[in-house]
Amino acid sequence: MSRILLFNKPYGVICQFSRDGMHPTLADYIAVPDVYPAGRLDTDSEGLLLLTDDGKLQHRITDPKHKQPKTYWVQVEGIPDATALEQLRRGIQLKDGMTLPAEANLMAEPQGLWLRDPPVRFRKDIPTCWLWLTIHEGKNRQVRRMTAAVGFPTLRLIRYSIGKWTIDGLAPGKWLSMHA
């Protein structure tokens, strides 16, 4: 039976077990042998990271042809209007190609949201808001590049879910083991 770990990756943690001497790693949080990340999150992103001991499952989770939806809570600088949201929904032309259409909606700040260390920069004259953004691919830094392309830079990025798995009830730095 395949094993899968759901890990709520804190800000600043790199998605590998080997140490780089500068950042905390998965080894600082997870002492489980023979599990490997199924995908990555940038060091400055937070939220759900899946790890598994099953190479075939790892491939199914990460392979774009399986199109696992990934939902993010995205705090952006400014308040996107209907035009910006529609651009995200249609797809955005990035330097490495067109993104697939995304689901994009304004949302309230997530309930029970933990503080980030270091905190997000705030400017008193520029409001921020939260987006619920679901994508079906995983280009490098895609969500950040998409929001910037429509004029609303990402300040904080939290992956809420991958497919059926979520961070519900999982504090930052904590993980949950289950059978896939």
Side-chain angles (χ1 to χ4, degrees), residues 19-148:
R19 301 193 189 286
D20 73 349
M22 298 183 315
H23 300 92
T25 70
L26 299 177
D28 294 309
Y29 295 89
I30 301 168
V32 176
D34 303 321
V35 294
Y36 303 94
R40 301 181 94 54
L41 268 178
D42 296 329
T43 305
D44 53 356
S45 297
E46 308 164 69
L48 185 62
L49 180 68
L50 300 177
L51 299 95
T52 183
D53 60 0
D54 180 334
K56 288 181 181 175
L57 176 60
Q58 183 182 31
H59 178 73
R60 272 197 319 274
I61 293 168
T62 59
D63 190 328
K65 74 178 177 191
H66 295 289
K67 293 189 175 44
Q68 289 281 340
K70 296 172 200 74
T71 297
Y72 296 84
W73 296 335
V74 190
Q75 185 179 24
V76 296
E77 190 172 85
I79 301 175
D81 57 15
T83 302
L85 293 173
E86 188 56 33
Q87 288 176 302
L88 294 168
R89 292 176 187 138
R90 282 195 316 260
I92 300 291
Q93 181 65 47
L94 301 174
K95 288 181 182 173
D96 56 348
M98 190 76 173
T99 66
L100 293 174
E103 297 167 40
N105 293 293
L106 298 177
M107 66 179 281
E109 180 176 303
Q111 280 194 310
L113 184 64
W114 55 90
L115 295 177
R116 193 186 89 176
D117 185 22
V120 170
R121 67 174 162 76
F122 287 102
R123 295 192 245 177
K124 69 176 188 163
D125 297 333
I126 300 175
T128 68
C129 79
W130 286 89
L131 299 177
W132 175 276
L133 191 65
T134 300
I135 61 173
H136 298 273
E137 59 197 332
K139 296 175 187 278
N140 186 39
R141 298 181 71 84
Q142 179 175 339
V143 170
R144 292 176 189 281
R145 293 188 299 145
M146 288 174 71
T147 64

